[in-house]
Amino acid sequence: MTPAIALAAHPLTVAAVQAEPVPGDVAGNAATAARLVGRAAGARVVVLPELFLPAYHPPTLAADPTGTDVAAGADGQVDDPRLDPLRAAARDGGATVVVGAAVRHPDGRRTISSLVVDTAGIARAAYDKQQLWGGERDLFDAGRRGATLLVDGWRLGLGICYDGCFPEHGRAAAADGAHGYLCPSGYLAGSAHRRDLYYAARALDNTMYVVFANAVGGADPWRFNGGAAVYDPEGRPLARGTDAGEDVLVATFDPGALAATRAAHTMLVDRPADEGLTRSVLAG
């Protein structure tokens, strides 16, 4: 059984972004991210795609790790001056920004991470992707722990792309009391069915809001399919982008609607402690 966690007192306006970064251009992509945060005026949380700062382009990430990575200090803080426009946009807009980056840690690990840029303009490596997909394992190390972001009384679990394909990852966020789940992603053309199913399912599984941001554009085989979305706690889209073109999708998390959904659909409190892990084997 998952213990009840108090809900926030007020609604939270969020934005899911779909956009096309330039491979290897961290400074230029940070400036683009700043512009997109400006388009999300009024949003308290803005989520941009996976690896948005260097772009999700494995050949470039492999060829130029020094130029594509940002360095985190022992406390996770990232002081890279290329991020200054994004820091300013977060400060000026009063928004907490979640943006994908390739992060080099003091112990030498290289991770696919979500940076959180807070309303004071401080950037931190907040979460490292735990479930690496395909060739990512050749370039990056897997994250070691989950993370929950607190904004205005809302508890927001952090995931990145493939993490959200594993029900247990979203459930771990919910078990930590998450009211929402933020997933910067990079879904390739041809994956729209999975893109539209996984994150709606995580919302429904856990009666929590989900923000799914995705890259768009690019050239084959690294062409991305947009479809950014915000899902309500029953997995219905509050906002959804098309498969092409830049977009900033703004929606509101409503604590009253969340409370009503959780009262009507009690999966979190009904969950058995062993989740069916104790099993019998029967002969047919």
Side-chain angles (χ1 to χ4, degrees):
M1 177 180 293
T2 299
I5 299 293
L7 300 184
H10 302 288
L12 182 74
T13 302
V14 302
V17 173
Q18 63 181 53
E20 181 179 357
V22 176
D25 186 5
V26 173
N29 295 332
T32 297
R35 175 177 60 79
L36 293 164
V37 171
R39 282 188 59 186
R44 289 283 291 127
V45 177
V46 181
V47 183
L48 292 109
E50 178 182 19
L51 286 172
F52 188 79
L53 291 176
Y56 193 116
H57 191 257
T60 301
L61 292 165
D64 186 17
T66 301
T68 54
D69 292 358
V70 296
D75 61 355
Q77 190 162 325
V78 174
D79 293 324
D80 194 310
R82 293 175 294 179
L83 305 187
D84 287 351
L86 184 53
R87 299 180 208 280
R91 284 194 306 267
D92 295 346
T96 296
V97 180
V98 179
V99 61
V103 172
R104 185 69 64 176
H105 296 267
D107 61 5
R109 289 180 302 121
R110 189 189 195 196
T111 58
I112 298 174
S113 300
S114 283
L115 301 188
V116 169
V117 185
D118 66 22
T119 55
I122 296 171
R124 289 186 173 84
Y127 171 73
D128 306 326
K129 186 176 184 178
Q130 293 178 285
Q131 306 288 352
L132 298 180
W133 174 75
E136 293 172 0
R137 301 181 186 96
D138 298 328
L139 298 174
F140 296 101
D141 299 293
R144 298 171 175 175
R145 60 182 62 84
T148 298
L149 173 65
L150 306 179
V151 179
D152 296 348
W154 288 83
R155 296 178 66 85
L156 307 170
L158 299 181
I160 299 174
C161 199
Y162 198 37
D163 288 328
C165 302
F166 293 81
E168 55 269 34
H169 193 276
R171 180 52 61 94
D176 190 48
H179 309 122
Y181 187 49
L182 311 181
C183 289
S185 297
Y187 269 70
L188 293 166
S191 64
H193 169 68
R194 295 189 301 277
R195 175 199 71 190
D196 293 341
L197 182 60
Y198 283 132
Y199 303 91
R202 298 296 79 80
L204 179 61
D205 288 345
N206 300 294
T207 53
M208 63 185 179
Y209 288 97
V210 171
V211 180
F212 168 77
N214 194 24
V216 71
D220 290 328
W222 306 109
R223 182 166 59 89
F224 298 88
N225 65 1
V230 180
Y231 294 100
D232 77 6
E234 292 195 64
R236 295 174 298 208
L238 296 172
R240 176 181 283 162
T242 63
D243 290 352
E246 180 181 289
D247 209 348
V248 176
L249 301 146
V250 178
T252 298
F253 292 0
D254 181 346
L258 179 59
T261 301
R262 289 188 169 180
H265 304 287
T266 56
M267 288 86 76
L268 291 180
V269 296
D270 292 340
R271 174 180 177 265
D274 72 355
E275 195 72 43
L277 296 177
T278 301
R279 307 185 70 84
S280 299
V281 178
L282 307 176

